[in-house]
Amino acid sequence: MGRYIINRLVRWIPSVFILLLLVYALVFFGAGDPIKLIFLQAPGDVAYDPARVDAIREAAGLNRPFLLQFWDYILNVAQGNFGNSLVSGRSVNAMISAAVPVTLKIGLTAIVLVSLLGILLGVIAALNQNKWLDNLIVGFALVIWGIPVFVAGPLITVFLVLVLDFDVPYGWGGLFSPKVIVPLLVIGLNPMALIIRQARAGVLEVLSEDYVRTARAKGIPNYQVVMRHIMRPVLTPVVSQIGLLVIATLNNSILIEKVFGLPGLGRMTETAIKSSDYPVILAIVLIFSVVVMASNLLVDISYPLLDPRAAAKKTEDE
């Protein structure tokens, strides 16, 4: 198991390097000149001066060959320095440090709530198969699965504001602020449907196993059968969806943080792309990539803990 983790970590290095190279090439060759954009977005009394543009470009090192610029960037990143924003001149490290806690709090909270509620509803539905409660939960999962994020946000906002008399959810007031309720709901609706269906299918499959029938025949209470004999094998396929849940959360954060005025990485991503702010874009891509890779690694590590047979198989594969 230890060798497997080390091998995965070693494989990260070329993967991240290639990803950064591709993104750097995209922003270098096709994203537009950020220095010109600075002048175009400046107030009307600021005149466009080609000589000044060339001077700023030279000071920022953007007039050098592509590979030389990329190599210098990699060396700086290896030292923990993401450079400065081409638009605002602020340190990218400071910008990331201010935005990461917001996205991290919302994302982790959404993932935990979605996982717990999805597993609970899936287990309840499976234990009441073909009954009204099962049909209700499955129908709920189908409905929320079919509602896109950009539709769910306005619908939930209208319901909370007009029906429940909530304040308009805009801005960041901390994780326990009522303003965060809508973003959490919007992030979690689609993934929750997936967790519900996965948990329900897993429980139905395990219920037909001989060891579950034997436990029930011995007179063991139903809740103990569920907790001791059903949950562990059911969690194995459900945990595999957590990696997809992390990806969905990061993707949705760009839209949600922009719409609800949250000062996180998603909103920063949208702003950086519009202004072709290379250092900020590259820093966010690196952070998102590491988060996704780390989540996938944690999912792989959790398999042997939930199912010892998975550990034996991984050992044979390695």
Side-chain angles (χ1 to χ4, degrees), residues 291-307:
V291 170
V292 172
M293 291 178 179
S295 64
N296 290 333
L297 178 62
L298 291 176
V299 169
D300 290 342
I301 293 174
S302 67
Y303 284 157
L305 300 179
L306 296 172
D307 187 357

Side-chain angles (χ1 to χ4, degrees), residues 66-89:
F66 166 74
L67 291 178
L68 182 59
Q69 290 188 42
F70 179 70
W71 178 247
D72 288 344
Y73 178 78
I74 292 298
L75 293 179
N76 289 329
V77 169
Q79 300 174 17
N81 179 19
F82 291 109
N84 297 323
S85 169
L86 297 177
V87 177
S88 65

Side-chain angles (χ1 to χ4, degrees), residues 74-144:
I74 292 298
L75 293 179
N76 289 329
V77 169
Q79 300 174 17
N81 179 19
F82 291 109
N84 297 323
S85 169
L86 297 177
V87 177
S88 65
R90 294 178 56 197
S91 169
V92 177
N93 293 52
M95 297 171 64
I96 295 295
S97 300
V100 164
V102 177
T103 301
L104 187 64
K105 291 177 182 178
I106 294 178
L108 288 179
T109 303
I111 291 172
V112 171
L113 292 179
V114 166
S115 301
L116 294 178
L117 291 177
I119 293 173
L120 177 61
L121 292 176
V123 171
I124 293 175
L127 295 178
N128 295 273
Q129 184 182 13
N130 297 329
K131 297 181 181 179
W132 69 270
L133 189 57
D134 179 29
N135 295 331
L136 179 63
I137 295 175
V138 172
F140 170 73
L142 291 175
V143 170
I144 62 178

Side-chain angles (χ1 to χ4, degrees), residues 130-171:
N130 297 329
K131 297 181 181 179
W132 69 270
L133 189 57
D134 179 29
N135 295 331
L136 179 63
I137 295 175
V138 172
F140 170 73
L142 291 175
V143 170
I144 62 178
W145 176 255
I147 301 179
V149 172
F150 56 85
V151 175
L155 288 178
I156 296 175
T157 301
V158 169
F159 176 77
L160 292 177
V161 173
L162 298 183
V163 178
L164 301 182
D165 198 25
F166 271 67
D167 294 332
V168 177
Y170 188 85

Side-chain angles (χ1 to χ4, degrees), residues 16-260:
V16 173
F17 181 84
I18 294 173
L19 179 63
L20 285 177
L21 176 62
L22 293 175
V23 175
Y24 202 95
L26 287 174
V27 298
F28 182 88
F29 292 109
D33 190 338
I35 308 302
K36 289 184 178 180
L37 289 175
I38 293 174
F39 279 89
L40 292 175
Q41 297 171 1
D45 56 347
V46 178
Y48 177 77
D49 185 358
R52 187 179 177 189
V53 170
D54 292 338
I56 297 176
R57 186 183 292 110
E58 183 177 358
L62 298 178
N63 59 342
R64 296 176 300 162
F66 166 74
L67 291 178
L68 182 59
Q69 290 188 42
F70 179 70
W71 178 247
D72 288 344
Y73 178 78
I74 292 298
L75 293 179
N76 289 329
V77 169
Q79 300 174 17
N81 179 19
F82 291 109
N84 297 323
S85 169
L86 297 177
V87 177
S88 65
R90 294 178 56 197
S91 169
V92 177
N93 293 52
M95 297 171 64
I96 295 295
S97 300
V100 164
V102 177
T103 301
L104 187 64
K105 291 177 182 178
I106 294 178
L108 288 179
T109 303
I111 291 172
V112 171
L113 292 179
V114 166
S115 301
L116 294 178
L117 291 177
I119 293 173
L120 177 61
L121 292 176
V123 171
I124 293 175
L127 295 178
N128 295 273
Q129 184 182 13
N130 297 329
K131 297 181 181 179
W132 69 270
L133 189 57
D134 179 29
N135 295 331
L136 179 63
I137 295 175
V138 172
F140 170 73
L142 291 175
V143 170
I144 62 178
W145 176 255
I147 301 179
V149 172
F150 56 85
V151 175
L155 288 178
I156 296 175
T157 301
V158 169
F159 176 77
L160 292 177
V161 173
L162 298 183
V163 178
L164 301 182
D165 198 25
F166 271 67
D167 294 332
V168 177
Y170 188 85
W172 173 251
L175 184 60
F176 299 101
S177 171
K179 300 177 182 179
V180 184
I181 294 177
V182 177
L184 287 177
L185 290 175
V186 175
I187 291 177
L189 279 181
N190 285 120
M192 185 185 296
L194 188 63
I195 298 297
I196 291 174
R197 294 169 60 185
Q198 189 73 54
R200 180 180 181 275
V203 172
L204 291 178
E205 182 178 355
V206 174
L207 285 176
S208 61
E209 296 290 339
D210 293 337
Y211 64 86
V212 175
R213 297 177 182 175
T214 302
R216 286 181 167 177
K218 290 181 179 180
I220 299 177
N222 198 40
Y223 74 93
Q224 292 187 10
V225 174
V226 172
M227 297 304 298
R228 294 181 180 179
H229 302 284
I230 294 179
M231 287 306 299
R232 176 172 288 188
V234 168
L235 286 176
T236 303
V238 171
V239 166
S240 65
Q241 304 298 328
I242 303 300
L244 299 177
L245 185 57
V246 172
I247 297 175
T249 300
L250 294 177
N251 291 336
N252 292 336
S253 67
I254 298 176
L255 173 64
I256 292 170
E257 291 181 6
K258 173 65 176 178
V259 172
F260 296 104

